[in-house]
Structures are given as structure tokens and as C-alpha cells.
Amino acid sequence: MELRFLNNSYEKTSLLRFFDPNPLRCFSLEQIASKSGLSYETIVNAIAQLNQEGIRILYRPENGYFYEPRETILHPDKITLHLFTRWWGRRVITVDQISSTIDLAKTLAIDPERHGTVCIANAQSKGRGRYGNAWASPQGKDILLTFLIVHEGWDIPVSLLSLYTVVSVVRVLDTAYGLPVAIKWPNDIVAEGRKLGGVLVERDESSNSFLISLGLNVHSRPCDWPREIRDVGVSLSMLKEDHWERDYLIAQCGATWETQWETLMQDKGETVRDYWNRYSTTLGKTVSFLYRGRQLSGFTKTIDQEGRLLLLTDEGRDLALLPEEVRSLRILE
Amino acid sequence: MDFEFIERVVRLVEEAEIAELELESGDDLRLVVKKSGSYIAAPAMYTQTIPSGYPPPSYPVAAPPAAAKEEAVDASIHVIRAPMVGTFYRAPAPDAPSFVETGAAVQDNTVVCILEAMKVMNEIKAGISGKVLEILVENGQPVEYGQPLFKIKKN
């Protein structure tokens, strides 16, 4: 398999901005130039580059250039095409396969322009969830991404940022697609009691950045997954027969993530907690979990300002759980 | 569809700035007229494309556009601004009553409107307690980042 590492560019996105909504329609070089403001040479070069990268823009001598869409391509310019964000996705990189998008993001953490950079993979060989749990990912079917943000102001706890990200994705799936999605503390997106996706937030101290990762099952099916998770996983296409477009979905998640950022900064997470409570499957339930190596159970009460889960254990003790302290949380009733 | 009609259509295509015309009449008649060596007119939608994320502003995020002078002068008035690009809706559904009307009392967490962006509905809260003085945007209108939506008289 040819390994491609693609970067978005202003020129290529500008071209796709009018080719993409009009598949198979022809445009002359003159028309493209007048609408995009690019020179003939730039246009021809950008079209050649897009063709090399798997986006087919063909030429008919009598009519001009036209775009022939192919569904499976996940191309950075097709993502930026949909974006109206100010900094999320200012740079988008896609790769066919990589050990993990987190590894790629880490190598970019030294870049002064890293803020808003999004790394997307078509497949991961060593994708991971919390505690290095494996995250299965077949080629070209799901969403696997990590984005980098720099935060120099308020010191936001990783656990709150994790809730914030989960809430953003769940709101997209609920309000734009009407899916019955819910959140299982701390970072799981679930539907019909099965796992649809997850979020992982890491803090990179050396670069003062957060690495925020999202895994979301889109087109994959149980036969694509390891045997042990076939019964507990679910994908968007299993939930709803729809023409799921990964590039548009990524843009929606990114845009929703960015647009709530100021609210998060202003209200210190109050709105996020409201949403979280609305979508949570975890609150008011008896749960069992491993806490610092001990098997415990208790009744969940609420989440606090930092995104910690507050509960009353069966031994009558109040506990504030951090995501990293808890493993194998199971809802009993 | 008679011969004269077809002739008229062909002439129309020749003269007009279109490259191809397709006509269907009844169940089994279909007429396609193509003009060779011409370009299809660019669709009008170009003028409506959503502003691009480029060029990205330098971090930290640029402040919303400066408030108009008269807004800044009166400290008792708070302006709720659009935190995103989107479409402004005053009600949760087309047939539902508006979240707030002029004169309504609002609290910090009162939802005042919805901004729809990329099919995602975002509830916008007042963020302050007071009274709605003025609603500055019509229902269903697109709004820009930082655009004033409501004027609130602070309590």
C-alpha cells in the first residue's frame, strides 16, 4: 500500500470549494480563476497535486475541468472545505496508516503553529484508549484523529476537557442526526448500550499543549473488530442507514468543539456539566469499578467542576473519582 | 413536441449563455440540446459560500469585533453576541413559542436563542440576569462571529 501523508492548503481547498458541490460539472480555467482569485498556473498546479493525492479533477478539452467524486477518500482539503472555524483545523494532515494519531500529533508538538492542527488517520496499527487499551480500527472506515491545542490562559483540568470533548461529539450526533447517544463516564460515547466511540485527552507539558483524540466507529461492522469487542461495539452505520460522510462529520465535530470554547472559558464548565448530565448514563446508578487496585461499588451522585465523578461507596465513604484512577467501570442498575 | 418547437429550443440554446438544455415532455419525449465548445455558466451559489477558515487568525483567538460606540457607553446594557457563525433561531422549533420576547426577564442560564451551525443546534444562554431590551436579528437570519444578537438591560 502506498503511504500518503497529506497536508491541506489554501489553494487546494479553494478549488474544492466549488468543485465539490458540483460533481461532474465543467468549469473553464477562466471561471475557476475569476471565482477563486488564483492564477492559472496555481490552479493547474493545485489540480495536478489533488489528482496525485487521489482527488480526481479531470479535464475535457471542449468543456474544461470537472470533479469526479470518490467516496472512500479522506482528504484534508475535503475537510477544510466544510470548516468555518477560526483555528480548529487551520492545518489538517491525513495519513493512510500510522501507529497512532497521538504519535503523529506528538511529533508536531514542537511546531510553533501547532494550535488547531488536526491529524487524521485512515487506519491505526496501535490505536489506544485509556490505559493503553487497544482501539481497533479497520482501514478507511472510521474516524481516528488527534488535534493539538495550546492553552496559555486558564489551566483547564484534563478531565474537564475530556468531558467537554465528549459532549461536543454527542451533541453533533444527537442534534444533527437524531441518534440516541449517551455518555458513559468518563470518556465513552455509547448508543443502545454499546460503545460507539471514545475520547482521550493528554497533556504535553513540554509544549504546553493538549492532545485531544477521538475515535468514532462510522462504517465499520462487527466483522471488522476483534472478537472480544464484537458484542459491545456499535457504529454509526449500524445505528442509522445514512450516507455517512466522514469528512463532513469531522468538520461538524471540530466546529462544534471550537464554538463552545468561549462558553467553557467563561462559565468554567457549567454548560458542559449541564449537557453532560443530560446525556449521562452514569448518574444515579449503582456502579462497580476498580479503584487503585481495589474492587469497589457505590452509588453515583454527580460530577464536580473538574469533571470528577462523585459517589457514595457501599462502605459509606464519599469518593471523588478521577478518570485515571478508575478502571472497568460497570453500571449495575 | 413538434419540429418547429425543437427548432426554437435549439435557437434559444445557441443564443443564450448555456451549454446544455434538457427538456422532458410527457412520458417518453426527452430533448437534450448541447452546444459544443462552450462553458457551462458557473452556478450562482459561489456568492454564498461559507467564509473559509483561512487565513487563520493568530492565536490567541481574535476578540469579537469592537462594539459600536453607543453600546460601549451605557454600562447598564449588556450585548449578547454570536459566539459562532451560524443561523439564528428564536424558538426551539418552527411552531414553538420564542425563547424570549422583548421585555422578558432573563437569568444567567436562560436560553435566549439557538444558533444552528452545520446542522448542529447550539443553545445560547443570556449569561447575565436582566431584561431583554431589543432583539437585533430576525429569525432564520445568518449571523457572523461576534455579531450582536440581543441587548439586555442589566439588573
Side-chain angles (χ1 to χ4, degrees), chain A residues 246-300:
Chain A
R246 286 184 300 159
D247 44 16
Y248 189 66
L249 203 52
I250 289 170
Q252 279 179 310
C253 291
T256 306
W257 194 92
E258 186 189 291
T259 53
Q260 297 290 316
W261 184 253
E262 276 169 44
T263 312
L264 177 71
M265 290 294 116
Q266 278 161 15
D267 71 8
K268 302 280 187 274
E270 192 191 317
T271 305
V272 172
R273 282 193 301 278
D274 280 354
Y275 276 124
W276 196 88
N277 286 330
R278 205 184 293 181
Y279 289 114
S280 168
T281 59
T282 316
L283 296 187
K285 302 274 171 65
T286 304
V287 294
S288 74
F289 52 96
L290 267 174
Y291 176 72
R292 294 178 181 172
R294 281 180 65 206
Q295 183 72 42
L296 292 177
S297 59
F299 186 76
T300 56

Side-chain angles (χ1 to χ4, degrees), chain A residues 178-194:
Chain A
L179 290 177
V181 280
I183 301 168
K184 185 183 155 206
W185 188 87
N187 64 344
D188 283 353
I189 301 163
V190 294
E192 298 178 347
R194 289 180 293 174

Side-chain angles (χ1 to χ4, degrees), chain A residues 8-10 17-18 21-22 25-28 31 35 62-63 80 82-87 90 115 150-152 171-172 175-176 248 251-252 255-256 259-260 262 271 274-275 278, chain B residues 19 35-43 45-47 49-62 64 83-86 109 117-125 145:
Chain A
N8 64 320
S9 81
Y10 171 70
R17 201 171 288 287
F18 64 90
N22 301 285
R25 277 191 82 161
C26 293
F27 300 95
S28 71
Q31 286 173 328
K35 298 295 179 192
E62 69 274 22
N63 291 330
T80 40
H82 301 298
L83 283 175
F84 57 87
T85 47
R86 286 166 294 131
W87 42 267
R90 62 199 280 186
H115 184 67
V150 181
H151 187 57
E152 286 161 350
R171 287 186 51 242
V172 169
T175 70
Y248 189 66
Q252 279 179 310
T256 306
T259 53
Q260 297 290 316
E262 276 169 44
T271 305
D274 280 354
Y275 276 124
R278 205 184 293 181
Chain B
K35 188 157 63 174
S36 62
S38 66
Y39 302 122
I40 296 167
M45 62 167 299
Y46 290 153
T47 54
T49 40
I50 300 162
S52 146
Y54 292 97
S58 59
Y59 182 76
V61 173
M84 66 189 78
V85 175
N109 56 1
M118 300 185 82
K119 302 180 198 167
V120 181
M121 302 299 173
N122 300 284
E123 291 174 352
I124 307 299
K125 291 178 181 172
Y145 171 74

